[in-house]
Amino acid sequence: MQRTRVDLAAEAAKRSADPMERIKKLYDDQAAAAQRAASAEAARGKQVDASLTRELAAIEKKRQAAMKTERDRQSAASRKPTRDPDLATPASISKLLRDALPGVRITSTTGGKHVANSDHYRSAALDFVPKGGMASMTKPDVREIFEKAGVSIRRNAGGVEQLFGPGDKGHSDHFHVAWEKGKLAVDNYRASVKETAKAEREAAAEQKKLDTALDQILGKFDPAADAARKYREELEEIDKLAKAGKITPDQQVAYAESALTGDTLSAVLARFETGMNVSAIENARIEAVAQKAKRDIKVATTAAAKRAAYAAINWNWSA
């Protein structure tokens, strides 16, 4: 039984890593259960062909719906935002920075005094100061924000990236960043993020339904797999408590033994204590035999007598 539980737990872990496999397994189990029930009815002389066909068709319909939901979730998660030449504006980039850096101060967009032909005057640059001051972040930190949002930082004709800050002339007290217009529809990007989040929530809700249905199926038709699932979940909870320091290593072993055998914790602890006592008694007995043997060998005056004393050691002796 223990080997079966381990195997089933391993299979369940594999399915949990692949949502599509989990869905297939759930509905395969439902179809198999329906067929077993129909076989039992048929054995009693009932006509089940039509009802079994309808039930299997309903199960297959649910399978396809669940798989479509999962495919949609995966598709939404991998979908890239569309591009648009007009939406990367000072306003949308300012909002992007405020979302990423709460408390940020936008110190300049299209106004103020800048060098001739500045990107500020083309509505394609802004200056800002992080809430924590200039020492609170670096240019790579700024670059990462823009890269994650899909916004390309502009490079001039000489290939110089238009991202400046401390260490660059005239930018010790603010960051300056200019972007490539037309590289990303920031609003579309946000919409894509929201769509992905919605799809993930729907998939999570569907997964919860599948988990509940699977638990019911296992409990009804596959007690061994259900027991393996419960045991695995209990071990996970026990492990979390141990890692959090809420229980000792000894308690962790005792709880795991209780979860496996179904015995009460007091019974498990009593068994552990008995085992420890027996071990202590046995260790003392073996030590007594060893001490007597050493004394006998030590007092022997010839090599032959010492060998005889060694050969005479009786490890089954008890004082």
Side-chain angles (χ1 to χ4, degrees):
M1 174 63 78
Q2 175 61 17
R3 174 61 181 169
T4 301
R5 287 182 175 182
V6 171
D7 291 343
L8 289 169
E11 291 174 9
K14 181 179 179 181
R15 287 195 300 273
S16 68
D18 188 339
M20 296 299 280
E21 287 299 319
R22 188 177 181 83
I23 291 169
K24 291 176 183 177
K25 178 66 168 64
L26 170 64
Y27 290 103
D28 283 347
D29 287 347
Q30 289 188 8
Q35 290 171 338
R36 286 195 297 270
S39 296
E41 292 293 304
R44 291 194 288 269
K46 292 188 177 181
Q47 196 70 22
V48 297
D49 292 350
S51 60
L52 177 60
T53 298
R54 287 194 299 271
E55 187 171 0
L56 291 177
I59 291 171
E60 183 59 27
K61 184 177 180 180
K62 291 179 181 178
R63 181 207 303 268
Q64 294 303 323
M67 293 178 69
K68 181 179 184 302
T69 297
E70 175 58 24
R71 284 195 295 269
D72 289 345
R73 185 197 68 78
Q74 294 181 6
S75 176
S78 62
R79 190 177 299 125
K80 294 185 180 297
T82 57
R83 297 181 181 276
D84 186 290
D86 300 320
L87 292 179
T89 65
S92 62
I93 298 299
S94 294
K95 188 174 189 314
L96 172 67
L97 285 173
R98 291 189 181 102
D99 290 343
L101 302 170
V104 67
R105 287 191 299 113
I106 308 299
T107 58
S108 180
T109 54
T110 59
K113 293 183 179 180
H114 307 284
V115 298
N117 299 317
S118 169
D119 288 311
H120 284 282
Y121 301 137
R122 298 191 306 107
S123 298
L126 57 71
D127 298 338
F128 70 93
V129 178
K131 180 181 179 180
M134 297 304 295
S136 66
M137 66 186 308
T138 63
K139 287 196 292 185
D141 295 330
V142 178
R143 186 180 299 111
E144 182 179 5
I145 292 172
F146 278 70
E147 287 177 349
K148 284 184 176 179
V151 179
S152 294
I153 297 175
R154 193 180 79 79
R155 292 181 179 274
N156 66 13
V160 178
E161 183 183 53
Q162 300 302 288
L163 168 59
F164 305 114
D168 298 315
K169 183 178 179 181
H171 294 86
S172 61
D173 60 351
H174 70 278
F175 285 103
H176 166 94
V177 62
W179 55 88
E180 291 280 6
K181 297 199 70 174
K183 286 297 181 182
L184 177 75
V186 175
D187 291 345
N188 284 3
Y189 173 79
R190 291 198 185 96
S192 176
V193 170
K194 290 180 180 178
E195 182 182 351
T196 298
K198 180 182 178 183
E200 289 179 345
R201 288 194 301 271
E202 292 175 348
E206 181 63 25
Q207 190 65 52
K208 187 174 181 180
K209 292 180 182 178
L210 294 177
D211 289 340
T212 300
L214 179 59
D215 291 346
Q216 293 172 346
I217 288 294
L218 291 177
K220 185 175 182 180
F221 297 106
D222 198 341
D226 188 47
R229 174 188 62 80
K230 291 178 179 177
Y231 179 55
R232 184 181 68 255
E233 291 174 352
E234 289 169 346
L235 287 183
E236 290 172 355
E237 292 302 317
I238 292 168
D239 186 56
K240 288 179 183 178
L241 291 171
K243 288 179 178 178
K246 299 297 183 182
I247 59 176
T248 66
D250 288 344
Q251 288 174 318
Q252 181 181 9
V253 174
Y255 288 141
E257 175 74 9
S258 178
L260 176 63
T261 62
D263 294 339
T264 64
L265 184 60
S266 59
V268 171
L269 292 175
R271 189 160 59 245
F272 283 2
E273 185 175 359
T274 299
M276 292 174 65
N277 290 337
V278 170
S279 295
I281 293 171
E282 180 65 7
N283 289 340
R285 185 190 69 78
I286 292 174
E287 180 62 22
V289 172
Q291 291 299 329
K292 180 180 183 301
K294 286 192 286 186
R295 288 195 300 271
D296 291 346
I297 294 172
K298 186 175 181 179
V299 299
T301 57
T302 65
K306 290 182 182 294
R307 284 195 292 270
Y310 176 79
I313 297 174
N314 177 15
W315 292 107
N316 293 320
W317 169 86
S318 59

